[in-house]
């Protein structure tokens, strides 16, 4: 007789926290985005469609969780989280366009260029990118924190991060890169923004109070999680259906794109994800051992890592 898996009190508490944080983020994002009755209405509509269309909100969650490490105020965390998701949303809009991945489905509905046309989708992505830095440069963000946050986000989104990684991804289509090359590309394309989310959460508080060990632990955690996120994405792309994923399943193989599954096989990719989960845990132990870090401040980061690696969609 089979048994029904039980959910622990800690897991339930994490689920409540995640639901509350996502709800709070959605409220703040809706409030801060341009309203549909103002200015270029179709452009604003495309921006809101792109950003408010759901998603797991992993980057905002990481930002909020990392804020506990440095005692970050919620107002600054809200702005950092929104800026991160604006950049992420813009990247998805452009990534889905015919000149890139040419995808028609995102988060279970039509992609922005299908809904609003290619020109308006491109402009919506451009506008979300610039709005991200407007959000961070608010007078409500202390100048020193604002400078640090802007620098972290800009570097993660640019040629040394997400954009550079996307360029490498396009160049690898039909190629057979090794593990080092694939890791480098994905660390830039996906991992850089995961790294930014963790660092910006901590940078929203008293960053200078953290010791070198705490900062090294945060970076090592984010590095492991960024690769793990992409490994799991590669696994899900070939094991789940389109309805479950909310985007076109099997597209990587169809487009002859290198993935961890194509490089290591399905079992090898799963083993890689498990090893990265262990690396993230070791990094959190390093973080927690720093006297500058409040006791238990790393707990949510640990729970997010487990959620990312063990997700099914």
């Amino acid at each position: 007789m089979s048994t029904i898996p039980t959910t622990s009190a800690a897991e339930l508490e994490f689920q409540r926290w995640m639901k509350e944080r996502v709800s709070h983020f959605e409220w703040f994002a809706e409030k801060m985005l341009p309203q549909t009755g103002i200015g270029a209405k179709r452009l604003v509509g495309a921006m809101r469609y792109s950003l408010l269309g759901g998603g797991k909100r992993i980057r905002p969650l990481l930002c909020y969780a990392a804020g506990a490490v440095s005692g970050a105020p919620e107002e600054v965390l809200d702005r950092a989280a929104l800026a991160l998701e604006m950049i992420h949303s813009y990247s998805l809009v452009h990534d889905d366009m015919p000149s890139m991945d040419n995808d028609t489905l995102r988060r279970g509905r039509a992609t922005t260029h299908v809904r609003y046309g290619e020109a308006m989708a491109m402009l919506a992505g451009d506008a979300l990118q610039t709005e991200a830095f407007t959000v961070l440069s608010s007078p409500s963000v202390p100048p020193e924190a604002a400078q640090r946050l802007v620098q972290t986000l800009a570097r993660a989104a640019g040629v040394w991060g997400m954009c550079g990684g996307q360029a490498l991804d396009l160049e690898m289509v039909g190629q057979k890169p090794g593990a080092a090359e694939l890791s480098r590309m994905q660390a830039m394309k996906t991992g850089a923004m995961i790294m930014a989310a963790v660092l910006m959460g901590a940078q929203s508080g008293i960053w200078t109070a953290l010791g070198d060990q705490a900062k090294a632990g945060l970076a090592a955690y984010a590095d492991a999680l960024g690769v793990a996120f992409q490994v799991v994405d590669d696994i899900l792309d070939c094991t789940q259906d389109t309805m479950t994923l909310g985007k076109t399943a099997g597209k990587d193989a169809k487009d002859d794109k290198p993935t961890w599954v194509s490089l290591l096989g399905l079992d090898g990719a799963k083993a890689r994800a498990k090893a990265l989960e262990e690396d993230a845990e070791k990094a959190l132990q390093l973080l927690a051992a720093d006297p500058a870090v409040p006791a238990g401040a790393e707990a949510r980061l640990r729970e997010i890592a487990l959620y990312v690696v063990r997700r099914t969609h």
Side-chain angles (χ1 to χ4, degrees):
M1 180 177 179
S2 62
T3 58
I4 299 173
T6 58
T7 304
S8 70
E11 289 173 319
L12 288 172
E13 173 56 29
F14 171 64
Q15 290 171 11
R16 282 192 289 268
W17 175 83
M18 190 164 57
K19 183 177 180 181
E20 184 279 325
R21 284 292 84 190
V22 169
S23 177
H24 174 82
F25 172 81
E26 300 286 352
W27 165 81
F28 185 76
E30 200 284 331
K31 181 179 75 167
M32 293 298 294
L33 279 168
Q35 300 300 308
T36 50
I38 300 173
K41 296 179 182 179
R42 190 164 174 78
L43 171 60
V44 170
M47 292 169 67
R48 294 176 67 86
Y49 180 86
S50 304
L51 195 140
L52 299 176
K56 291 176 282 293
R57 307 303 192 195
I58 294 295
R59 291 152 195 83
L61 287 171
L62 283 168
C63 184
Y64 286 124
V69 173
S70 63
E74 185 163 82
E75 170 72 12
V76 182
L77 283 172
D78 284 342
R79 289 180 174 275
L82 180 55
L84 283 157
E85 200 70 352
M86 283 177 161
I87 294 291
H88 177 57
S89 294
Y90 118 71
S91 75
L92 297 182
V93 172
H94 284 190
D95 192 42
D96 287 335
M97 292 180 69
S99 58
M100 297 269 232
D101 282 357
N102 192 24
D103 218 330
T104 59
L105 192 67
R106 172 73 66 179
R107 294 168 177 168
R109 61 180 189 167
T111 49
T112 304
H113 74 272
V114 171
R115 174 69 174 77
Y116 285 90
E118 290 182 38
M120 202 58 66
M122 183 179 295
L123 288 172
D126 293 344
L128 284 169
Q129 181 186 44
T130 55
E131 281 298 303
F133 295 100
T134 300
V135 165
L136 287 179
S137 59
S138 165
S140 62
V141 180
E144 184 178 345
Q147 181 183 16
R148 192 173 284 120
L149 293 170
V150 166
Q151 288 176 336
T152 299
L153 184 58
R155 185 169 182 84
V159 66
W160 305 114
M162 184 183 69
C163 285
Q166 177 68 7
L168 292 177
D169 187 34
L170 292 172
E171 292 171 2
M172 284 183 180
V173 172
Q175 304 298 312
K176 303 294 182 184
E181 293 174 286
L182 188 59
S183 290
R184 176 171 172 260
M185 180 272 286
Q186 293 184 342
M188 293 168 68
K189 180 184 175 182
T190 303
M193 287 297 293
I194 297 290
M195 178 73 73
V198 174
L199 294 182
M200 287 172 68
Q203 290 170 352
S204 295
I206 309 175
W207 175 252
T208 54
L210 296 178
D212 291 341
Q213 182 172 316
K215 292 175 182 178
L218 284 168
Y221 164 83
D223 185 55
L225 188 64
V227 180
F229 188 94
Q230 190 59 58
V231 173
V232 174
D233 251 16
D234 290 350
I235 293 169
L236 295 177
D237 185 67
C238 66
T239 59
Q240 300 285 15
D241 58 29
T242 296
M243 182 173 293
T244 301
L245 294 178
K247 59 182 180 180
T248 307
K251 200 166 187 305
D252 288 342
K254 178 177 177 293
D255 293 343
D256 199 18
K257 295 180 70 173
T259 68
W260 287 105
V261 175
S262 67
L263 180 68
L264 303 176
L266 184 57
D267 289 342
K270 289 179 179 179
R272 176 73 169 145
K274 179 62 178 174
L276 287 163
E277 178 187 320
E278 293 170 358
D279 288 345
E281 173 57 30
K282 291 175 185 174
L284 289 179
Q285 290 174 10
L286 180 68
L287 171 68
D290 193 304
V293 176
E298 82 288 354
R300 294 297 184 213
L301 292 172
R302 177 176 292 107
E303 290 165 332
I304 293 173
L306 294 176
Y307 170 74
V308 165
V309 173
R310 300 175 188 183
R311 63 196 168 97
T312 58
H313 64 280

